[in-house]
Amino acid sequence: DTGVSQDPRHKITKRGQNVTFRCDPISEHNRLYWYRQTLGQGPEFLTYFQNEAQLEKSRLLSDRFSAERPKGSFSTLEIQRTEQGDSAMYLCASSIVRDTQYFGPGTRLTVL
Amino acid sequence: AQSVSQHNHHVILSEAASLELGCNYSYGGTVNLFWYVQYPGQHLQLLLKYFSGDPLVKGIKGFEAEFIKSKFSFNLRKPSVQWSDTAEYFCAVNGKMDSSYKLIFGSGTRLLVRP
């Protein structure tokens, strides 16, 4: 399967801890997006990269959140000092510029 | 503000019934429109999309959607549903002039098809 992959699939952490998620996009896709989905809602945009450049961040992305895509391939999303409100599904999607986004399976974060 | 509204949060149908899920959007500009589906335990998958041309779009598994620009709507239809169509359906939009092409999603409609 050459789709978008995400790791881990589930993460349980205690409030105040740092967590990091990884996304591997479809290999030829130069755009990578992060979304967050909470229960009963559709995904909400967090940030996106074109190649290694982070071009836009949502106001949802507080200072505790940081994302990287160092070589224009995989990306990481780090949350520092997690809070219970960070509990959500974190989705990654990739695309060729101005085309359909393909989603990964997501990382479900639970903050206790 | 940019938004997508899906009117039905939960829909229950019997097999062979016809389906129509509503989607309306608010967006200041020309848009691309999408329906994604999430089957139980699986990730979001593209069902169909509209970028331009014929406003009646056909997707996978017998689904279709019609873009009505005057009504800002992109309703999803299927003439005869199957038990395997049980899933959550999300309507989404992005702006053609938005360089990010980020998607704005509705809150989803959970469809349960009874055998």
Side-chain angles (χ1 to χ4, degrees):
Chain A
D1 187 343
T2 56
V4 178
S5 62
Q6 293 187 245
D7 183 69
R9 298 289 303 275
H10 303 273
K11 178 71 177 178
I12 300 174
T13 190
K14 293 182 179 179
R15 189 175 54 186
Q17 298 294 305
N18 300 344
V19 295
T20 300
F21 311 141
R22 176 179 171 126
C23 171
D24 287 88
I26 295 170
S27 60
E28 64 268 26
H29 286 183
N30 53 4
R31 284 207 173 179
L32 188 149
Y33 296 79
W34 286 98
Y35 292 83
R36 182 170 67 187
Q37 185 178 17
T38 53
L39 201 61
Q41 299 297 319
E44 294 177 291
F45 170 78
L46 292 178
T47 188
Y48 90 102
F49 294 82
Q50 182 160 317
N51 301 312
E52 65 275 7
Q54 187 175 17
L55 296 183
E56 185 172 330
K57 294 192 289 185
S58 163
R59 284 174 290 180
L60 291 175
L61 213 64
S62 77
D63 292 344
R64 296 183 296 104
F65 288 70
S66 62
E68 294 183 340
R69 194 183 184 197
K71 297 182 180 179
S73 57
F74 73 92
S75 175
T76 58
L77 178 68
E78 181 183 15
I79 309 174
Q80 296 183 327
R81 304 181 304 281
T82 51
E83 301 173 355
Q84 288 185 326
D86 298 331
S87 295
M89 178 74 86
Y90 290 85
L91 297 170
C92 176
S94 72
S95 73
I96 298 171
V97 176
R98 307 184 83 79
D99 205 339
T100 304
Q101 293 176 35
Y102 295 90
F103 283 81
T107 295
R108 183 171 295 281
L109 173 66
T110 302
V111 181
L112 302 176
Chain B
Q2 302 161 353
S3 64
V4 176
S5 296
Q6 292 183 242
H7 315 297
N8 312 101
H9 297 294
H10 294 90
V11 173
I12 301 174
L13 295 173
S14 298
E15 274 194 316
S18 64
L19 171 70
E20 181 161 3
L21 301 182
C23 172
N24 286 89
Y25 67 92
S26 172
Y27 201 99
T30 51
V31 297
N32 302 310
L33 295 150
F34 306 82
W35 276 96
Y36 282 86
V37 61
Q38 189 165 24
Y39 297 104
Q42 297 188 26
H43 59 278
L44 276 169
Q45 302 171 37
L46 182 69
L47 202 54
L48 49 78
K49 63 184 179 183
Y50 173 79
F51 277 27
S52 64
D54 188 343
L56 185 61
V57 180
K58 295 192 183 299
I60 61 172
K61 304 186 180 186
F63 286 90
E64 65 178 30
E66 185 175 12
F67 172 45
I68 303 179
K69 189 175 180 180
S70 61
K71 295 185 177 180
F72 301 93
S73 70
F74 191 56
N75 292 354
L76 181 70
R77 300 193 292 250
K78 186 171 183 179
S80 176
V81 295
Q82 301 173 319
W83 175 79
S84 59
D85 293 325
T86 293
E88 190 160 18
Y89 294 80
F90 293 93
C91 181
V93 63
N94 63 18
K96 290 185 186 292
M97 301 308 294
D98 178 359
S99 59
S100 76
Y101 255 40
K102 60 181 176 287
L103 290 168
I104 299 166
F105 284 87
S107 56
T109 297
R110 287 187 180 272
L111 172 64
L112 172 63
V113 179
R114 292 178 170 158

